[in-house]
Amino acid sequence: QVQLVESGGGLVQPGGSLRLSCTSSGLIFSQYDMRWYRQVPTKERELVARISTTGHRKDYADSVKGRFTISRDNAQKRVYLQMNSLKPEDTAVYYCNAHNAWGDAWGQGIQVTVSS
């Protein structure tokens, strides 16, 4: 079975940094486009960042451009989200997603709270 497990979340002050990690198993990781989403109870799930199978293409939501960086390590089957200059509006549950033409897999989500 396919599993994605997020880690690295928690509480941070505005202006601080966190790095989220997503560890995968049960899939051929290098064949999947990897994505980070986030969601708060009052809004629909938002695509934050995505990275191509090789890591050569990266895209970001306008709200996080210049602050967040997505990366992947195909040898370790992991994808990361480095989050800098965090704002209270970044508070959400963050989800790791593996996507290709044949299917999707989702992590359980991890809480990120930005508050003073």
Side-chain angles (χ1 to χ4, degrees):
Q1 59 275 354
V2 174
Q3 282 195 316
L4 303 175
V5 180
E6 301 96 338
S7 62
L11 175 65
V12 66
Q13 294 184 353
S17 297
L18 286 173
R19 188 178 75 157
L20 302 183
S21 298
C22 175
T23 300
S24 67
S25 61
L27 77 167
I28 304 175
F29 182 79
S30 62
Q31 295 182 358
Y32 285 84
D33 183 42
M34 298 301 298
R35 302 168 176 181
W36 287 97
Y37 288 78
R38 67 186 181 188
Q39 188 169 29
V40 297
T42 57
K43 296 179 66 177
E44 65 185 11
R45 190 169 296 183
E46 174 190 22
L47 176 62
V48 176
R50 60 186 179 190
I51 186 168
S52 63
T53 56
T54 63
H56 291 145
R57 291 187 62 87
K58 303 175 183 179
D59 297 289
Y60 301 92
D62 287 343
S63 59
V64 306
K65 284 181 180 177
R67 300 188 297 119
F68 290 13
T69 303
I70 190 170
S71 60
R72 67 189 294 159
D73 185 335
N74 283 354
Q76 297 191 41
K77 298 184 176 181
R78 291 177 181 171
V79 63
Y80 304 93
L81 186 67
Q82 178 67 46
M83 304 184 294
N84 298 327
S85 301
L86 283 162
K87 305 174 180 179
E89 64 191 34
D90 296 317
T91 296
V93 176
Y94 284 71
Y95 296 89
C96 177
N97 167 249
H99 171 81
N100 67 17
W102 308 108
D104 287 89
W106 292 87
Q108 80 285 357
I110 190 165
Q111 180 70 45
V112 171
T113 301
V114 185
S115 176
S116 60

